[in-house]
């Protein structure tokens, strides 16, 4: 059965969706069968980061309703083993039928090695739905005080929900930022109270790849893309060191 991974953040603007796309494409490039589901109802944009804006993707609600099968999810033109379901635009997170959503994920587990749920930012209904069903939760945070506080709050809620496999990714960091605000990656880990899965440098190529509707990993192999490759290997259980000195 495939692993269900929720990608979440305590606040918006942390780069959660870009990382979800980057990690998913890294795993797909390694031959894994990957399904990405955009769960950010009303503010969907995972298709942009994946380079699938013209894919005509089904929404996960189309599948939950029984009108389509998971196997009919849009396939990535550059990564044949990567499939995508977008978020619906005409309903609220509270209106999603949990049982139908769970049944869709059950079927997806039998067809894919990893299923990524790109959860809405914040700690509302969409966050709780995705996190409650996930085998693993990855919290994306920045190194700024607001992001750290919100990640800490999200981590506390996840622990109260009984989640054990929680990791953080510290995104969009530079040596100058850490020096200016006098903080280290270890400080972020301590403040959040969660183990580290990876660190990702601030990289203008993330924005450029989205602007050109190209997956980040097809746009460049350096910077944030290289970090996504390393994080994907850690998800696979491979011992890949975190190169903090390069940030």
């Amino acid at each position: 059965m495939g692993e269900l991974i929720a990608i979440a953040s305590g606040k918006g603007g942390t780069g959660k969706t870009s990382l979800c796309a980057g990690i998913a494409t890294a795993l797909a490039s390694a031959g894994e069968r990957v399904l990405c589901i955009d769960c950010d109802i009303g503010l969907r944009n995972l298709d942009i980061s994946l380079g699938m804006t013209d894919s005509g993707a089904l929404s996960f609600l189309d599948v939950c309703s029984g009108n389509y099968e998971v196997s009919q999810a849009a396939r990535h033109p550059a990564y044949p083993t990567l499939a995508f379901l977008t978020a619906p635009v005409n309903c609220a997170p509270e209106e999603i039928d949990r049982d139908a959503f769970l049944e869709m994920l059950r079927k997806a587990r039998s067809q894919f090695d990893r299923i990524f749920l790109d959860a809405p930012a914040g700690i509302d209904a969409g966050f709780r739905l995705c996190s409650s069903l996930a085998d693993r939760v990855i919290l994306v945070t920045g190194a700024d005080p607001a992001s750290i506080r919100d990640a800490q709050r999200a981590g506390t809620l996840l622990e109260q929900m009984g989640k054990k496999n929680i990791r953080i990714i510290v995104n969009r960091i530079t040596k100058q930022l850490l020096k200016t605000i006098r903080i280290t990656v270890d400080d972020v880990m301590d403040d959040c109270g969660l183990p580290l899965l990876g660190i990702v440098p601030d990289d203008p190529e993330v924005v450029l790849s989205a602007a050109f509707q190209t997956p980040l990993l097809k746009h460049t192999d350096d910077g944030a893309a290289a970090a996504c490759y390393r994080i994907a290997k850690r998800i696979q259980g491979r011992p890949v060191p975190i190169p903090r000195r390069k940030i």
Side-chain angles (χ1 to χ4, degrees), residues 204-234:
E205 298 299 329
V206 174
V207 177
L208 290 174
S209 64
F212 289 110
Q213 299 185 26
T214 304
L216 175 64
L217 274 59
K218 289 294 185 182
H219 189 74
T220 178
D221 290 326
D222 298 323
C228 287
Y229 277 119
R230 291 191 292 268
I231 292 169
K233 290 176 182 177
R234 294 187 197 109

mmCIF file of all heavy atoms in Angstrom, residues 204-234:
data_model
loop_
_atom_site.group_PDB
_atom_site.id
_atom_site.type_symbol
_atom_site.label_atom_id
_atom_site.label_comp_id
_atom_site.label_asym_id
_atom_site.label_seq_id
_atom_site.Cartn_x
_atom_site.Cartn_y
_atom_site.Cartn_z
ATOM 1 N N PRO A 204 15.596 32.058 -6.655
ATOM 2 C CA PRO A 204 14.724 32.716 -7.641
ATOM 3 C C PRO A 204 14.274 31.794 -8.762
ATOM 4 O O PRO A 204 13.288 32.080 -9.451
ATOM 5 C CB PRO A 204 15.606 33.858 -8.185
ATOM 6 C CG PRO A 204 17.015 33.431 -7.899
ATOM 7 C CD PRO A 204 16.948 32.652 -6.626
ATOM 8 N N GLU A 205 14.962 30.669 -8.949
ATOM 9 C CA GLU A 205 14.574 29.739 -10.004
ATOM 10 C C GLU A 205 13.209 29.108 -9.734
ATOM 11 O O GLU A 205 12.544 28.642 -10.661
ATOM 12 C CB GLU A 205 15.626 28.637 -10.156
ATOM 13 C CG GLU A 205 17.003 29.132 -10.563
ATOM 14 C CD GLU A 205 17.002 29.840 -11.913
ATOM 15 O OE1 GLU A 205 16.179 29.477 -12.775
ATOM 16 O OE2 GLU A 205 17.828 30.740 -12.102
ATOM 17 N N VAL A 206 12.780 29.085 -8.471
ATOM 18 C CA VAL A 206 11.447 28.551 -8.143
ATOM 19 C C VAL A 206 10.369 29.406 -8.806
ATOM 20 O O VAL A 206 9.425 28.898 -9.412
ATOM 21 C CB VAL A 206 11.243 28.502 -6.615
ATOM 22 C CG1 VAL A 206 9.820 28.081 -6.281
ATOM 23 C CG2 VAL A 206 12.251 27.555 -5.968
ATOM 24 N N VAL A 207 10.525 30.721 -8.685
ATOM 25 C CA VAL A 207 9.563 31.645 -9.300
ATOM 26 C C VAL A 207 9.667 31.602 -10.824
ATOM 27 O O VAL A 207 8.651 31.605 -11.526
ATOM 28 C CB VAL A 207 9.787 33.080 -8.786
ATOM 29 C CG1 VAL A 207 8.841 34.059 -9.478
ATOM 30 C CG2 VAL A 207 9.586 33.145 -7.279
ATOM 31 N N LEU A 208 10.875 31.555 -11.324
ATOM 32 C CA LEU A 208 11.074 31.546 -12.774
ATOM 33 C C LEU A 208 10.493 30.289 -13.410
ATOM 34 O O LEU A 208 9.867 30.351 -14.477
ATOM 35 C CB LEU A 208 12.565 31.659 -13.095
ATOM 36 C CG LEU A 208 13.215 33.013 -12.794
ATOM 37 C CD1 LEU A 208 14.721 32.939 -13.022
ATOM 38 C CD2 LEU A 208 12.595 34.108 -13.651
ATOM 39 N N SER A 209 10.693 29.150 -12.777
ATOM 40 C CA SER A 209 10.161 27.902 -13.340
ATOM 41 C C SER A 209 8.641 27.932 -13.384
ATOM 42 O O SER A 209 8.025 27.479 -14.353
ATOM 43 C CB SER A 209 10.653 26.697 -12.543
ATOM 44 O OG SER A 209 10.164 26.730 -11.216
ATOM 45 N N ALA A 210 8.020 28.501 -12.341
ATOM 46 C CA ALA A 210 6.559 28.620 -12.326
ATOM 47 C C ALA A 210 6.086 29.581 -13.411
ATOM 48 O O ALA A 210 5.069 29.333 -14.075
ATOM 49 C CB ALA A 210 6.093 29.085 -10.955
ATOM 50 N N ALA A 211 6.824 30.669 -13.602
ATOM 51 C CA ALA A 211 6.452 31.645 -14.623
ATOM 52 C C ALA A 211 6.494 31.041 -16.021
ATOM 53 O O ALA A 211 5.676 31.370 -16.892
ATOM 54 C CB ALA A 211 7.373 32.856 -14.547
ATOM 55 N N PHE A 212 7.443 30.135 -16.234
ATOM 56 C CA PHE A 212 7.575 29.474 -17.537
ATOM 57 C C PHE A 212 6.792 28.163 -17.603
ATOM 58 O O PHE A 212 6.902 27.420 -18.579
ATOM 59 C CB PHE A 212 9.048 29.222 -17.860
ATOM 60 C CG PHE A 212 9.830 30.464 -18.176
ATOM 61 C CD1 PHE A 212 10.797 30.936 -17.306
ATOM 62 C CD2 PHE A 212 9.578 31.179 -19.333
ATOM 63 C CE1 PHE A 212 11.517 32.084 -17.583
ATOM 64 C CE2 PHE A 212 10.285 32.331 -19.629
ATOM 65 C CZ PHE A 212 11.265 32.791 -18.751
ATOM 66 N N GLN A 213 6.007 27.884 -16.536
ATOM 67 C CA GLN A 213 5.174 26.680 -16.466
ATOM 68 C C GLN A 213 6.003 25.415 -16.714
ATOM 69 O O GLN A 213 5.600 24.512 -17.457
ATOM 70 C CB GLN A 213 4.020 26.782 -17.465
ATOM 71 C CG GLN A 213 3.087 27.956 -17.193
ATOM 72 C CD GLN A 213 1.886 27.984 -18.108
ATOM 73 O OE1 GLN A 213 1.458 26.970 -18.624
ATOM 74 N NE2 GLN A 213 1.321 29.165 -18.305
ATOM 75 N N THR A 214 7.154 25.391 -16.054
ATOM 76 C CA THR A 214 8.071 24.264 -16.150
ATOM 77 C C THR A 214 8.350 23.725 -14.752
ATOM 78 O O THR A 214 8.584 24.509 -13.829
ATOM 79 C CB THR A 214 9.403 24.700 -16.792
ATOM 80 O OG1 THR A 214 9.144 25.281 -18.065
ATOM 81 C CG2 THR A 214 10.349 23.515 -16.955
ATOM 82 N N PRO A 215 8.324 22.422 -14.539
ATOM 83 C CA PRO A 215 8.686 21.892 -13.223
ATOM 84 C C PRO A 215 10.085 22.358 -12.819
ATOM 85 O O PRO A 215 10.990 22.417 -13.660
ATOM 86 C CB PRO A 215 8.638 20.376 -13.418
ATOM 87 C CG PRO A 215 7.754 20.168 -14.604
ATOM 88 C CD PRO A 215 7.969 21.350 -15.488
ATOM 89 N N LEU A 216 10.253 22.685 -11.551
ATOM 90 C CA LEU A 216 11.535 23.194 -11.067
ATOM 91 C C LEU A 216 12.680 22.273 -11.443
ATOM 92 O O LEU A 216 13.751 22.725 -11.863
ATOM 93 C CB LEU A 216 11.479 23.376 -9.547
ATOM 94 C CG LEU A 216 12.786 23.796 -8.867
ATOM 95 C CD1 LEU A 216 13.215 25.181 -9.341
ATOM 96 C CD2 LEU A 216 12.639 23.765 -7.348
ATOM 97 N N LEU A 217 12.495 20.965 -11.317
ATOM 98 C CA LEU A 217 13.575 20.014 -11.549
ATOM 99 C C LEU A 217 13.915 19.867 -13.028
ATOM 100 O O LEU A 217 14.960 19.300 -13.367
ATOM 101 C CB LEU A 217 13.238 18.652 -10.943
ATOM 102 C CG LEU A 217 13.607 18.476 -9.458
ATOM 103 C CD1 LEU A 217 12.897 19.506 -8.581
ATOM 104 C CD2 LEU A 217 13.280 17.079 -8.976
ATOM 105 N N LYS A 218 13.036 20.327 -13.910
ATOM 106 C CA LYS A 218 13.353 20.380 -15.328
ATOM 107 C C LYS A 218 14.005 21.710 -15.691
ATOM 108 O O LYS A 218 14.603 21.853 -16.764
ATOM 109 C CB LYS A 218 12.078 20.191 -16.166
ATOM 110 C CG LYS A 218 11.502 18.788 -16.126
ATOM 111 C CD LYS A 218 12.430 17.783 -16.777
ATOM 112 C CE LYS A 218 11.804 16.397 -16.845
ATOM 113 N NZ LYS A 218 12.727 15.398 -17.443
ATOM 114 N N HIS A 219 13.865 22.682 -14.796
ATOM 115 C CA HIS A 219 14.391 24.028 -15.034
ATOM 116 C C HIS A 219 15.839 24.153 -14.580
ATOM 117 O O HIS A 219 16.639 24.856 -15.185
ATOM 118 C CB HIS A 219 13.505 25.037 -14.303
ATOM 119 C CG HIS A 219 13.787 26.464 -14.633
ATOM 120 N ND1 HIS A 219 13.427 27.048 -15.820
ATOM 121 C CD2 HIS A 219 14.413 27.437 -13.918
ATOM 122 C CE1 HIS A 219 13.804 28.321 -15.830
ATOM 123 N NE2 HIS A 219 14.412 28.576 -14.685
ATOM 124 N N THR A 220 16.181 23.462 -13.465
ATOM 125 C CA THR A 220 17.529 23.548 -12.899
ATOM 126 C C THR A 220 17.800 22.319 -12.029
ATOM 127 O O THR A 220 16.855 21.655 -11.581
ATOM 128 C CB THR A 220 17.688 24.830 -12.055
ATOM 129 O OG1 THR A 220 18.998 24.866 -11.489
ATOM 130 C CG2 THR A 220 16.667 24.876 -10.933
ATOM 131 N N ASP A 221 19.082 22.056 -11.805
ATOM 132 C CA ASP A 221 19.475 20.968 -10.906
ATOM 133 C C ASP A 221 20.075 21.493 -9.607
ATOM 134 O O ASP A 221 20.430 20.699 -8.729
ATOM 135 C CB ASP A 221 20.517 20.056 -11.582
ATOM 136 C CG ASP A 221 19.904 19.240 -12.714
ATOM 137 O OD1 ASP A 221 18.725 18.869 -12.592
ATOM 138 O OD2 ASP A 221 20.607 18.996 -13.716
ATOM 139 N N ASP A 222 20.218 22.808 -9.502
ATOM 140 C CA ASP A 222 20.898 23.396 -8.353
ATOM 141 C C ASP A 222 19.901 24.006 -7.365
ATOM 142 O O ASP A 222 18.688 24.007 -7.599
ATOM 143 C CB ASP A 222 21.881 24.480 -8.828
ATOM 144 C CG ASP A 222 22.964 23.916 -9.735
ATOM 145 O OD1 ASP A 222 23.405 22.795 -9.471
ATOM 146 O OD2 ASP A 222 23.337 24.603 -10.702
ATOM 147 N N GLY A 223 20.436 24.566 -6.275
ATOM 148 C CA GLY A 223 19.622 25.316 -5.329
ATOM 149 C C GLY A 223 18.485 24.520 -4.732
ATOM 150 O O GLY A 223 18.667 23.430 -4.181
ATOM 151 N N ALA A 224 17.276 25.064 -4.858
ATOM 152 C CA ALA A 224 16.098 24.414 -4.288
ATOM 153 C C ALA A 224 15.832 23.060 -4.931
ATOM 154 O O ALA A 224 15.352 22.136 -4.273
ATOM 155 C CB ALA A 224 14.878 25.322 -4.446
ATOM 156 N N ALA A 225 16.141 22.930 -6.216
ATOM 157 C CA ALA A 225 15.927 21.644 -6.899
ATOM 158 C C ALA A 225 16.809 20.559 -6.289
ATOM 159 O O ALA A 225 16.351 19.437 -6.039
ATOM 160 C CB ALA A 225 16.216 21.785 -8.395
ATOM 161 N N ALA A 226 18.068 20.874 -6.044
ATOM 162 C CA ALA A 226 18.979 19.900 -5.428
ATOM 163 C C ALA A 226 18.492 19.521 -4.037
ATOM 164 O O ALA A 226 18.576 18.352 -3.637
ATOM 165 C CB ALA A 226 20.387 20.489 -5.355
ATOM 166 N N ALA A 227 17.950 20.506 -3.304
ATOM 167 C CA ALA A 227 17.408 20.216 -1.971
ATOM 168 C C ALA A 227 16.219 19.269 -2.057
ATOM 169 O O ALA A 227 16.059 18.375 -1.218
ATOM 170 C CB ALA A 227 17.011 21.518 -1.275
ATOM 171 N N CYS A 228 15.378 19.443 -3.075
ATOM 172 C CA CYS A 228 14.220 18.559 -3.247
ATOM 173 C C CYS A 228 14.660 17.129 -3.537
ATOM 174 O O CYS A 228 14.058 16.169 -3.033
ATOM 175 C CB CYS A 228 13.324 19.076 -4.373
ATOM 176 S SG CYS A 228 12.369 20.547 -3.963
ATOM 177 N N TYR A 229 15.700 16.975 -4.342
ATOM 178 C CA TYR A 229 16.237 15.633 -4.600
ATOM 179 C C TYR A 229 16.709 14.979 -3.303
ATOM 180 O O TYR A 229 16.447 13.800 -3.044
ATOM 181 C CB TYR A 229 17.402 15.708 -5.581
ATOM 182 C CG TYR A 229 17.009 15.766 -7.038
ATOM 183 C CD1 TYR A 229 17.347 16.864 -7.833
ATOM 184 C CD2 TYR A 229 16.323 14.709 -7.642
ATOM 185 C CE1 TYR A 229 17.008 16.920 -9.176
ATOM 186 C CE2 TYR A 229 15.975 14.756 -8.988
ATOM 187 C CZ TYR A 229 16.318 15.861 -9.749
ATOM 188 O OH TYR A 229 15.967 15.908 -11.083
ATOM 189 N N ARG A 230 17.404 15.760 -2.476
ATOM 190 C CA ARG A 230 17.914 15.209 -1.216
ATOM 191 C C ARG A 230 16.779 14.829 -0.271
ATOM 192 O O ARG A 230 16.807 13.763 0.368
ATOM 193 C CB ARG A 230 18.855 16.217 -0.539
ATOM 194 C CG ARG A 230 20.176 16.432 -1.260
ATOM 195 C CD ARG A 230 21.149 17.213 -0.415
ATOM 196 N NE ARG A 230 20.725 18.593 -0.206
ATOM 197 C CZ ARG A 230 21.081 19.607 -0.979
ATOM 198 N NH1 ARG A 230 21.865 19.402 -2.035
ATOM 199 N NH2 ARG A 230 20.671 20.828 -0.716
ATOM 200 N N ILE A 231 15.766 15.673 -0.188
ATOM 201 C CA ILE A 231 14.627 15.383 0.686
ATOM 202 C C ILE A 231 13.884 14.143 0.205
ATOM 203 O O ILE A 231 13.463 13.296 1.007
ATOM 204 C CB ILE A 231 13.685 16.603 0.747
ATOM 205 C CG1 ILE A 231 14.375 17.760 1.491
ATOM 206 C CG2 ILE A 231 12.364 16.252 1.423
ATOM 207 C CD1 ILE A 231 13.650 19.090 1.372
ATOM 208 N N ALA A 232 13.732 14.007 -1.118
ATOM 209 C CA ALA A 232 13.059 12.833 -1.670
ATOM 210 C C ALA A 232 13.796 11.556 -1.286
ATOM 211 O O ALA A 232 13.174 10.539 -0.934
ATOM 212 C CB ALA A 232 12.959 12.955 -3.192
ATOM 213 N N LYS A 233 15.121 11.597 -1.311
ATOM 214 C CA LYS A 233 15.905 10.420 -0.931
ATOM 215 C C LYS A 233 15.713 10.099 0.547
ATOM 216 O O LYS A 233 15.651 8.924 0.933
ATOM 217 C CB LYS A 233 17.379 10.658 -1.242
ATOM 218 C CG LYS A 233 17.685 10.690 -2.735
ATOM 219 C CD LYS A 233 19.143 11.032 -3.003
ATOM 220 C CE LYS A 233 19.424 11.116 -4.498
ATOM 221 N NZ LYS A 233 20.827 11.522 -4.778
ATOM 222 N N ARG A 234 15.614 11.124 1.387
ATOM 223 C CA ARG A 234 15.381 10.870 2.820
ATOM 224 C C ARG A 234 14.008 10.256 3.040
ATOM 225 O O ARG A 234 13.838 9.405 3.915
ATOM 226 C CB ARG A 234 15.534 12.176 3.601
ATOM 227 C CG ARG A 234 16.943 12.731 3.593
ATOM 228 C CD ARG A 234 17.124 13.935 4.499
ATOM 229 N NE ARG A 234 18.346 14.631 4.118
ATOM 230 C CZ ARG A 234 18.390 15.805 3.508
ATOM 231 N NH1 ARG A 234 17.263 16.466 3.260
ATOM 232 N NH2 ARG A 234 19.538 16.348 3.169
#
